[in-house]
Coordinates of all heavy atoms in Angstrom, one line a residue:
M1 N 138.4 51.8 77.5 CA 137.3 51.5 78.4 C 136.3 50.7 77.6 O 135.9 51.0 76.5 CB 136.7 52.8 78.9 CG 135.5 52.6 79.8 SD 134.6 54.1 80.2 CE 135.6 54.7 81.6
S2 N 135.8 49.5 78.2 CA 134.8 48.7 77.6 C 133.4 49.4 77.8 O 133.3 50.3 78.7 CB 134.8 47.3 78.2 OG 134.1 47.3 79.4
G3 N 132.4 48.9 77.1 CA 131.1 49.5 77.2 C 130.5 49.3 78.6 O 129.6 50.0 79.0
N4 N 131.0 48.3 79.4 CA 130.4 48.0 80.7 C 131.2 48.6 81.8 O 130.9 48.4 83.0 CB 130.3 46.5 80.9 CG 129.2 45.9 80.1 OD1 128.2 46.6 79.8 ND2 129.4 44.7 79.7
E5 N 132.2 49.4 81.5 CA 133.1 49.8 82.6 C 132.5 51.1 83.3 O 132.0 52.0 82.6 CB 134.5 50.1 82.0 CG 135.5 50.3 83.1 CD 136.9 50.4 82.4 OE1 137.3 49.5 81.7 OE2 137.6 51.5 82.6
Y6 N 132.6 51.1 84.6 CA 132.2 52.2 85.4 C 133.4 53.0 85.9 O 134.4 53.0 85.2 CB 131.3 51.7 86.6 CG 130.0 51.1 86.0 CD1 129.9 49.8 85.9 CD2 128.9 51.9 85.7 CE1 128.8 49.2 85.4 CE2 127.8 51.4 85.2 CZ 127.7 50.0 85.0 OH 126.6 49.5 84.5
L7 N 133.3 53.6 87.0 CA 134.5 54.3 87.5 C 135.6 53.4 87.9 O 135.3 52.3 88.4 CB 134.0 55.2 88.7 CG 133.0 56.3 88.4 CD1 132.6 57.0 89.6 CD2 133.6 57.3 87.4
K8 N 136.8 53.8 87.8 CA 137.9 52.9 88.1 C 138.1 52.8 89.6 O 138.0 53.8 90.4 CB 139.2 53.5 87.5 CG 139.3 53.3 86.0 CD 140.7 53.2 85.5 CE 140.8 52.8 84.1 NZ 140.3 51.4 83.8
N9 N 138.3 51.6 90.1 CA 138.7 51.3 91.5 C 137.7 51.8 92.5 O 138.1 52.3 93.6 CB 140.1 51.9 91.8 CG 141.1 51.3 90.8 OD1 141.2 50.1 90.5 ND2 142.0 52.2 90.3
V10 N 136.5 51.8 92.2 CA 135.5 52.2 93.2 C 134.6 51.1 93.7 O 134.0 51.2 94.7 CB 134.6 53.4 92.7 CG1 135.4 54.6 92.5 CG2 133.8 53.0 91.5
T11 N 134.5 50.0 92.9 CA 133.6 49.0 93.3 C 134.0 48.3 94.7 O 135.2 48.2 95.0 CB 133.5 47.9 92.3 OG1 132.5 46.9 92.7 CG2 134.8 47.2 92.0
T12 N 133.0 47.9 95.4 CA 133.3 47.3 96.7 C 133.5 45.8 96.6 O 133.6 45.0 97.6 CB 132.2 47.6 97.7 OG1 130.9 47.1 97.1 CG2 132.1 49.0 98.0
L13 N 133.5 45.3 95.3 CA 133.5 43.8 95.1 C 134.8 43.2 95.6 O 135.9 43.8 95.4 CB 133.4 43.6 93.6 CG 133.5 42.2 93.1 CD1 132.3 41.4 93.5 CD2 133.7 42.1 91.6
S14 N 134.7 42.1 96.3 CA 135.9 41.4 96.8 C 135.7 39.9 96.7 O 134.6 39.4 96.9 CB 136.1 41.8 98.2 OG 136.9 41.0 98.9
L15 N 136.7 39.2 96.3 CA 136.6 37.7 96.1 C 137.7 37.1 97.0 O 138.9 37.4 96.9 CB 136.9 37.4 94.6 CG 137.1 35.9 94.3 CD1 135.9 35.1 94.6 CD2 137.5 35.8 92.8
D16 N 137.3 36.1 97.8 CA 138.2 35.4 98.6 C 138.4 34.0 98.0 O 137.6 33.1 98.1 CB 137.6 35.2 100.0 CG 138.5 34.5 101.0 OD1 139.5 33.8 100.5 OD2 138.3 34.6 102.2
S17 N 139.6 33.9 97.3 CA 139.9 32.7 96.5 C 140.0 31.4 97.4 O 139.7 30.3 97.0 CB 141.2 32.9 95.8 OG 141.0 33.9 94.8
E18 N 140.3 31.6 98.7 CA 140.4 30.5 99.6 C 139.1 29.8 99.8 O 139.0 28.6 99.9 CB 141.0 30.9 100.9 CG 142.4 31.5 100.9 CD 143.4 30.4 100.7 OE1 143.3 29.3 101.3 OE2 144.3 30.6 99.8
K19 N 138.0 30.6 99.8 CA 136.7 30.1 100.0 C 136.0 29.6 98.7 O 135.1 28.8 98.8 CB 135.8 31.2 100.6 CG 136.2 31.6 102.0 CD 135.2 32.6 102.6 CE 135.5 33.1 104.0 NZ 134.7 34.2 104.4
C20 N 136.5 30.0 97.6 CA 135.9 29.6 96.3 C 136.0 28.1 96.1 O 137.1 27.5 96.2 CB 136.6 30.4 95.2 SG 136.0 29.8 93.5
K21 N 134.9 27.5 95.7 CA 134.9 26.0 95.5 C 134.8 25.7 94.0 O 134.6 24.6 93.5 CB 133.7 25.3 96.2 CG 133.7 25.5 97.7 CD 134.9 24.9 98.4 CE 134.8 25.1 99.9 NZ 136.1 25.1 100.5
G22 N 134.8 26.8 93.2 CA 134.8 26.6 91.7 C 133.5 26.2 91.0 O 133.6 25.6 90.0
C23 N 132.4 26.5 91.7 CA 131.1 26.1 91.1 C 130.8 26.8 89.8 O 130.0 26.4 88.9 CB 130.0 26.3 92.1 SG 129.6 28.0 92.4
G24 N 131.3 28.0 89.6 CA 131.2 28.8 88.4 C 129.9 29.6 88.4 O 129.7 30.3 87.4
L25 N 129.1 29.6 89.4 CA 127.8 30.3 89.4 C 128.0 31.8 89.3 O 127.2 32.5 88.6 CB 127.0 30.0 90.6 CG 125.5 30.0 90.5 CD1 125.0 29.2 89.3 CD2 124.8 29.4 91.7
C26 N 129.0 32.4 89.9 CA 129.2 33.8 89.8 C 129.4 34.3 88.4 O 128.9 35.3 88.0 CB 130.3 34.2 90.7 SG 131.9 33.4 90.4
A27 N 130.2 33.5 87.7 CA 130.4 33.8 86.3 C 129.2 33.7 85.4 O 129.0 34.5 84.5 CB 131.5 32.9 85.7
V28 N 128.3 32.8 85.8 CA 127.0 32.6 85.0 C 126.1 33.8 85.3 O 125.5 34.3 84.4 CB 126.4 31.3 85.4 CG1 125.0 31.2 84.8 CG2 127.2 30.1 85.0
V29 N 125.9 34.2 86.6 CA 124.9 35.2 86.9 C 125.4 36.6 86.7 O 124.5 37.5 86.6 CB 124.4 35.0 88.4 CG1 123.8 33.7 88.6 CG2 125.5 35.3 89.4
C30 N 126.6 36.9 86.7 CA 127.1 38.3 86.5 C 126.7 38.8 85.1 O 127.1 38.3 84.1 CB 128.6 38.4 86.7 SG 129.2 40.1 86.4
P31 N 126.0 39.9 85.1 CA 125.5 40.5 83.8 C 126.7 41.2 83.1 O 126.5 41.6 81.9 CB 124.4 41.4 84.2 CG 124.7 41.8 85.6 CD 125.4 40.7 86.2
H32 N 127.8 41.5 83.7 CA 128.8 42.3 83.1 C 130.2 41.6 83.0 O 131.2 42.2 82.9 CB 129.0 43.6 83.9 CG 127.9 44.6 83.6 ND1 127.9 45.8 84.2 CD2 126.9 44.5 82.8 CE1 126.8 46.5 83.7 NE2 126.2 45.7 82.8
N33 N 130.1 40.3 82.9 CA 131.4 39.5 82.7 C 132.5 39.9 83.6 O 133.7 40.0 83.1 CB 131.8 39.6 81.2 CG 130.7 39.1 80.3 OD1 130.1 38.1 80.5 ND2 130.4 39.9 79.3
V34 N 132.3 40.0 84.8 CA 133.3 40.4 85.8 C 134.2 39.2 86.1 O 135.4 39.4 86.3 CB 132.7 41.0 87.0 CG1 133.8 41.2 88.1 CG2 132.0 42.3 86.7
F35 N 133.6 38.0 86.1 CA 134.4 36.8 86.5 C 134.7 35.9 85.3 O 134.0 35.9 84.3 CB 133.6 36.0 87.4 CG 133.2 36.7 88.7 CD1 132.0 37.3 88.9 CD2 134.1 36.8 89.8 CE1 131.6 37.9 90.0 CE2 133.8 37.5 90.9 CZ 132.5 38.0 91.1
A36 N 135.8 35.2 85.5 CA 136.1 34.1 84.6 C 136.6 32.9 85.5 O 137.1 33.2 86.6 CB 137.2 34.5 83.6
M37 N 136.5 31.7 85.0 CA 137.0 30.6 85.8 C 138.4 30.3 85.3 O 138.7 30.1 84.1 CB 136.1 29.4 85.5 CG 134.7 29.6 86.0 SD 134.5 30.1 87.7 CE 135.2 28.7 88.6
K38 N 139.3 30.2 86.2 CA 140.7 29.9 85.9 C 141.2 28.8 86.9 O 141.1 29.0 88.1 CB 141.6 31.1 86.0 CG 141.3 32.1 85.0 CD 142.3 33.3 85.1 CE 142.0 34.4 84.0 NZ 142.7 35.6 84.2
N39 N 141.7 27.7 86.4 CA 142.2 26.6 87.3 C 141.2 26.2 88.3 O 141.5 26.1 89.5 CB 143.5 27.1 87.9 CG 144.6 27.4 86.9 OD1 144.7 26.7 85.9 ND2 145.4 28.4 87.2
K40 N 139.9 26.1 87.9 CA 138.8 25.7 88.8 C 138.5 26.6 89.9 O 138.0 26.2 91.0 CB 139.1 24.3 89.3 CG 139.2 23.2 88.2 CD 139.3 21.8 88.7 CE 139.4 20.8 87.6 NZ 139.8 19.5 88.0
K41 N 138.9 27.9 89.7 CA 138.6 28.9 90.7 C 138.0 30.1 90.0 O 138.4 30.4 88.8 CB 139.8 29.4 91.5 CG 140.4 28.3 92.4 CD 139.9 28.5 93.8 CE 140.7 27.6 94.7 NZ 140.2 27.7 96.1
A42 N 137.2 30.9 90.7 CA 136.7 32.2 90.1 C 137.8 33.2 90.1 O 138.6 33.2 91.1 CB 135.5 32.7 90.8
S43 N 137.9 34.0 89.1 CA 138.9 35.1 89.1 C 138.2 36.4 88.6 O 137.3 36.3 87.7 CB 140.0 34.7 88.1 OG 140.9 35.7 88.0
I44 N 138.5 37.5 89.2 CA 138.0 38.8 88.7 C 138.8 39.2 87.6 O 140.0 39.5 87.7 CB 138.0 39.8 89.9 CG1 137.0 39.3 91.0 CG2 137.5 41.2 89.4 CD1 137.0 40.2 92.2
I45 N 138.2 39.4 86.4 CA 138.9 39.8 85.2 C 138.5 41.2 84.8 O 139.3 41.8 84.0 CB 138.7 38.8 84.1 CG1 137.3 38.6 83.7 CG2 139.4 37.4 84.4 CD1 137.1 38.0 82.3
N46 N 137.4 41.7 85.2 CA 136.9 43.0 84.7 C 136.3 43.7 85.9 O 135.1 44.0 86.0 CB 135.9 42.9 83.6 CG 136.5 42.4 82.3 OD1 137.5 42.9 81.9 ND2 135.8 41.5 81.7
K47 N 137.1 44.0 86.9 CA 136.6 44.6 88.2 C 135.8 45.9 88.0 O 134.7 46.1 88.6 CB 137.7 44.8 89.2 CG 137.2 45.1 90.6 CD 138.3 45.0 91.6 CE 137.6 45.2 93.0 NZ 138.6 45.0 94.1
D48 N 136.3 46.7 87.1 CA 135.6 48.0 86.9 C 134.3 47.9 86.2 O 133.6 48.9 86.0 CB 136.6 49.0 86.2 CG 137.7 49.4 87.1 OD1 137.5 49.4 88.4 OD2 138.8 49.7 86.6
N49 N 134.0 46.7 85.7 CA 132.7 46.5 85.1 C 131.6 46.2 86.1 O 130.4 46.2 85.8 CB 132.7 45.2 84.2 CG 133.4 45.5 82.8 OD1 134.0 46.5 82.6 ND2 133.3 44.6 81.9
C50 N 132.0 46.0 87.4 CA 131.0 45.7 88.4 C 130.1 46.8 88.7 O 130.5 47.9 89.0 CB 131.7 45.2 89.7 SG 130.6 44.9 91.0
M51 N 128.8 46.6 88.6 CA 127.8 47.6 88.9 C 127.1 47.4 90.3 O 126.1 47.9 90.6 CB 126.7 47.7 87.9 CG 125.9 46.4 87.7 SD 124.6 46.7 86.5 CE 123.8 45.1 86.5
E52 N 127.8 46.5 91.1 CA 127.4 46.2 92.5 C 125.9 45.8 92.6 O 125.2 46.2 93.5 CB 127.7 47.5 93.4 CG 129.1 47.8 93.4 CD 129.5 48.9 94.4 OE1 128.7 49.9 94.4 OE2 130.5 48.8 95.0
C53 N 125.5 45.0 91.7 CA 124.1 44.5 91.7 C 123.9 43.4 92.8 O 122.8 43.2 93.3 CB 123.7 43.9 90.4 SG 124.5 42.3 89.9
G54 N 125.0 42.7 93.2 CA 124.9 41.8 94.3 C 124.6 40.4 93.9 O 124.5 39.5 94.7
A55 N 124.3 40.1 92.6 CA 123.9 38.8 92.2 C 124.9 37.7 92.5 O 124.6 36.6 92.9 CB 123.6 38.8 90.7
C56 N 126.2 38.0 92.3 CA 127.3 37.0 92.5 C 127.3 36.6 93.9 O 127.4 35.4 94.3 CB 128.6 37.6 92.0 SG 129.0 39.2 92.7
A57 N 127.3 37.6 94.8 CA 127.4 37.3 96.3 C 126.2 36.5 96.7 O 126.3 35.6 97.5 CB 127.6 38.6 97.0
K58 N 125.0 36.9 96.2 CA 123.8 36.2 96.6 C 123.8 34.7 96.2 O 123.3 33.8 96.8 CB 122.6 36.8 96.0 CG 122.1 38.0 96.8 CD 120.7 38.4 96.4 CE 120.2 39.6 97.3 NZ 119.9 40.8 96.6
N59 N 124.5 34.4 95.0 CA 124.5 33.1 94.5 C 125.7 32.3 94.9 O 125.8 31.1 94.6 CB 124.4 33.2 92.9 CG 123.0 33.5 92.5 OD1 122.2 32.6 92.4 ND2 122.7 34.7 92.2
C60 N 126.6 32.9 95.6 CA 127.8 32.1 96.0 C 127.5 31.4 97.4 O 127.3 32.1 98.4 CB 129.0 33.0 96.2 SG 130.5 32.0 96.7
A61 N 127.3 30.1 97.3 CA 126.9 29.4 98.5 C 128.1 29.3 99.6 O 127.9 28.8 100.7 CB 126.5 28.0 98.1
Y62 N 129.2 29.7 99.2 CA 130.4 29.5 100.0 C 130.9 30.9 100.6 O 132.0 30.9 101.3 CB 131.5 28.9 99.2 CG 131.0 27.6 98.6 CD1 130.6 27.5 97.3 CD2 130.9 26.4 99.4 CE1 130.1 26.3 96.8 CE2 130.4 25.2 98.9 CZ 130.0 25.2 97.6 OH 129.5 24.0 97.1
G63 N 130.2 31.9 100.4 CA 130.6 33.2 101.0 C 131.9 33.7 100.5 O 132.6 34.5 101.2
A64 N 132.2 33.4 99.3 CA 133.5 33.8 98.8 C 133.5 35.2 98.2 O 134.6 35.8 98.0 CB 134.0 32.8 97.7
I65 N 132.3 35.8 98.0 CA 132.2 37.1 97.4 C 131.5 38.0 98.3 O 130.5 37.7 98.9 CB 131.4 37.0 96.1 CG1 132.1 36.0 95.1 CG2 131.3 38.4 95.4 CD1 131.3 35.7 93.9
T66 N 132.0 39.2 98.4 CA 131.3 40.3 99.2 C 131.3 41.5 98.3 O 132.2 41.8 97.5 CB 132.1 40.7 100.5 OG1 133.4 41.0 100.2 CG2 132.0 39.6 101.5
V67 N 130.1 42.1 98.3 CA 129.9 43.4 97.6 C 128.8 44.2 98.3 O 127.9 43.6 98.7 CB 129.6 43.1 96.1 CG1 128.3 42.4 95.9 CG2 129.6 44.4 95.3
K68 N 129.1 45.4 98.4 CA 128.1 46.3 99.0 C 127.1 46.7 97.9 O 127.3 47.6 97.1 CB 128.7 47.5 99.6 CG 127.9 48.3 100.5 CD 128.6 49.5 101.1 CE 127.7 50.5 101.7 NZ 128.4 51.8 102.0
S69 N 125.9 46.0 97.9 CA 125.0 46.3 96.8 C 123.8 47.2 97.4 O 123.5 47.2 98.6 CB 124.4 45.0 96.3 OG 123.7 44.3 97.3
G70 N 123.2 47.8 96.5 CA 122.0 48.7 96.8 C 121.2 48.9 95.6 O 121.6 48.6 94.5
V71 N 120.0 49.3 95.8 CA 119.1 49.5 94.7 C 119.0 51.0 94.2 O 118.3 51.3 93.3 CB 117.7 49.0 95.0 CG1 117.7 47.5 95.2 CG2 117.1 49.8 96.2
G72 N 119.7 51.9 95.0 CA 119.5 53.3 94.7 C 119.8 53.7 93.3 O 118.9 54.3 92.6
C73 N 120.9 53.4 92.8 CA 121.3 53.9 91.4 C 120.5 53.1 90.4 O 120.0 53.8 89.4 CB 122.8 53.7 91.2 SG 123.8 54.8 92.2
A74 N 120.2 51.8 90.6 CA 119.4 51.1 89.6 C 118.0 51.7 89.6 O 117.5 51.9 88.5 CB 119.4 49.6 90.0
A75 N 117.5 52.0 90.7 CA 116.1 52.5 90.8 C 116.1 53.9 90.1 O 115.1 54.2 89.4 CB 115.7 52.7 92.2
G76 N 117.1 54.7 90.3 CA 117.2 56.0 89.7 C 117.2 55.9 88.2 O 116.6 56.7 87.4
I77 N 118.0 54.9 87.7 CA 118.1 54.8 86.2 C 116.8 54.3 85.6 O 116.3 54.8 84.6 CB 119.2 53.8 85.9 CG1 120.6 54.4 86.2 CG2 119.2 53.3 84.4 CD1 121.7 53.4 86.2
I78 N 116.1 53.4 86.3 CA 114.8 52.9 85.8 C 113.8 54.0 85.9 O 113.1 54.2 84.9 CB 114.4 51.7 86.7 CG1 115.3 50.5 86.4 CG2 112.9 51.3 86.4 CD1 115.2 49.4 87.4
S79 N 113.7 54.7 87.0 CA 112.7 55.7 87.0 C 112.9 56.9 86.0 O 112.0 57.4 85.4 CB 112.5 56.3 88.5 OG 113.7 57.0 88.8
G80 N 114.2 57.2 85.8 CA 114.6 58.2 84.8 C 114.1 57.7 83.4 O 113.6 58.5 82.6
T81 N 114.3 56.4 83.1 CA 113.9 55.9 81.8 C 112.4 56.0 81.6 O 111.9 56.4 80.6 CB 114.4 54.4 81.7 OG1 115.8 54.4 81.9 CG2 114.0 53.8 80.4
I82 N 111.7 55.6 82.7 CA 110.2 55.6 82.6 C 109.7 57.0 82.5 O 108.8 57.3 81.7 CB 109.6 55.0 83.9 CG1 109.9 53.5 83.9 CG2 108.1 55.2 84.0 CD1 109.6 52.8 85.2
R83 N 110.3 58.0 83.3 CA 109.8 59.4 83.2 C 110.4 60.2 82.1 O 109.9 61.3 81.8 CB 110.1 60.1 84.5 CG 109.4 59.5 85.7 CD 109.7 60.4 87.0 NE 109.2 59.7 88.1 CZ 109.9 59.6 89.3 NH1 111.1 60.0 89.3 NH2 109.4 58.9 90.3
G84 N 111.4 59.7 81.5 CA 112.1 60.4 80.4 C 112.9 61.6 81.0 O 113.2 62.6 80.3
T85 N 113.3 61.5 82.3 CA 114.1 62.5 82.9 C 115.6 62.0 83.1 O 115.9 60.8 82.8 CB 113.6 62.9 84.3 OG1 113.5 61.7 85.1 CG2 112.2 63.4 84.2
E86 N 116.4 62.9 83.6 CA 117.8 62.5 83.8 C 117.8 61.4 84.9 O 117.1 61.5 85.9 CB 118.6 63.6 84.4 CG 119.3 64.5 83.4 CD 120.3 63.8 82.5 OE1 121.3 63.2 83.0 OE2 120.0 63.9 81.3
P87 N 118.6 60.3 84.7 CA 118.7 59.3 85.7 C 119.3 59.9 87.0 O 120.3 60.5 86.9 CB 119.6 58.2 85.1 CG 119.7 58.5 83.7 CD 119.4 60.0 83.5
S88 N 118.6 59.7 88.1 CA 119.2 60.2 89.4 C 118.7 59.4 90.5 O 117.5 59.1 90.6 CB 118.8 61.7 89.6 OG 119.2 62.1 90.9
C89 N 119.6 59.0 91.4 CA 119.2 58.2 92.6 C 119.1 59.1 93.8 O 118.9 58.7 94.9 CB 120.2 57.1 92.8 SG 121.9 57.7 93.1
G90 N 119.4 60.4 93.6 CA 119.3 61.4 94.7 C 120.5 61.4 95.6 O 120.5 61.9 96.7
C91 N 121.6 60.8 95.1 CA 122.8 60.7 96.0 C 123.5 62.1 96.2 O 124.2 62.3 97.1 CB 123.8 59.7 95.5 SG 124.4 60.0 93.8
D92 N 123.1 63.0 95.4 CA 123.6 64.4 95.6 C 123.0 65.0 96.8 O 123.4 66.0 97.3 CB 123.3 65.3 94.3 CG 121.9 65.3 93.9 OD1 121.1 64.3 94.2 OD2 121.4 66.3 93.4
K93 N 121.9 64.4 97.3 CA 121.2 64.9 98.5 C 121.5 63.9 99.7 O 120.8 63.8 100.7 CB 119.7 64.9 98.3 CG 119.3 65.9 97.2 CD 117.8 65.8 97.0 CE 117.4 66.6 95.8 NZ 117.3 65.7 94.6
G94 N 122.6 63.2 99.6 CA 123.0 62.3 100.7 C 122.3 61.0 100.7 O 122.1 60.4 101.7
G95 N 122.1 60.4 99.5 CA 121.4 59.1 99.4 C 122.4 58.0 99.3 O 123.3 57.9 100.1
C96 N 122.2 57.1 98.4 CA 122.8 55.8 98.4 C 124.3 55.8 98.1 O 125.0 54.9 98.6 CB 122.2 54.9 97.4 SG 122.4 55.5 95.7
C97 N 124.8 56.7 97.3 CA 126.2 56.6 97.0 C 126.8 58.0 97.0 O 127.9 58.3 96.6 CB 126.4 55.9 95.7 SG 125.4 56.6 94.3
Ligands
SF4_101 S1 130.0 31.3 93.1 FE1 131.5 31.3 94.8 S2 132.3 29.2 94.9 FE2 131.2 29.4 92.9 S3 132.9 29.9 91.5 FE3 132.0 31.9 92.2 S4 133.2 32.5 94.0 FE4 133.7 30.3 93.6
SF4_102 S1 127.8 42.6 91.9 FE1 126.8 42.2 89.9 S2 128.0 43.2 88.4 FE2 129.3 43.1 90.2 S3 130.5 41.2 89.9 FE3 128.6 40.7 91.1 S4 127.1 40.0 89.6 FE4 128.7 41.1 88.5

């Protein structure tokens, strides 16, 4: 497991290669090196590294990427860091995930 890997096979990330125009922006903006460019198309090389931040989908002008992103877990991690408590997004109470 790499340092950026999350749970296996749970990310909602999806790439439609037919729609990809090869601009490379998804590979630039992804903070976890999920994409690589191969033969002028984006390719998912580290799917389990995806933290569903949504940056790739927001930056793809061709609608080739879909991912169900949310701020719940990120907000939980940030507030836990600030407060010095366990990171929690409250999903155990029926929240974001
Ligand atoms: S941002 Fe979209 S069009 Fe550009 S390389 Fe990535 S998937 Fe392809
Ligand atoms: S959602 Fe975020 S972490 Fe996942 S592939 Fe897109 S940019 Fe990378």
Side-chain angles (χ1 to χ4, degrees):
M1 179 187 276
S2 79
N4 286 330
E5 193 172 301
Y6 294 94
L7 297 174
K8 285 209 174 293
N9 302 318
V10 298
T11 180
T12 56
L13 178 71
S14 162
L15 169 66
D16 184 341
S17 295
E18 295 291 316
K19 292 182 180 173
C20 175
K21 303 296 181 202
C23 71
L25 210 50
C26 55
V28 171
V29 300
C30 177
H32 282 181
N33 300 316
V34 171
F35 299 99
M37 299 307 293
K38 292 182 180 172
N39 301 321
K40 299 184 179 169
K41 293 264 189 184
S43 176
I44 295 175
I45 57 165
N46 291 314
K47 190 166 184 176
D48 292 331
N49 281 12
C50 176
M51 61 176 182
E52 298 183 324
C53 69
C56 54
K58 277 197 180 118
N59 283 278
C60 179
Y62 305 97
I65 301 171
T66 55
V67 63
K68 190 177 165 194
S69 63
V71 296
C73 292
I77 290 167
I78 291 166
S79 66
T81 301
I82 292 169
R83 292 187 190 129
T85 57
E86 270 305 298
S88 172
C89 58
C91 56
D92 56 330
K93 300 178 189 91
C96 63
C97 52

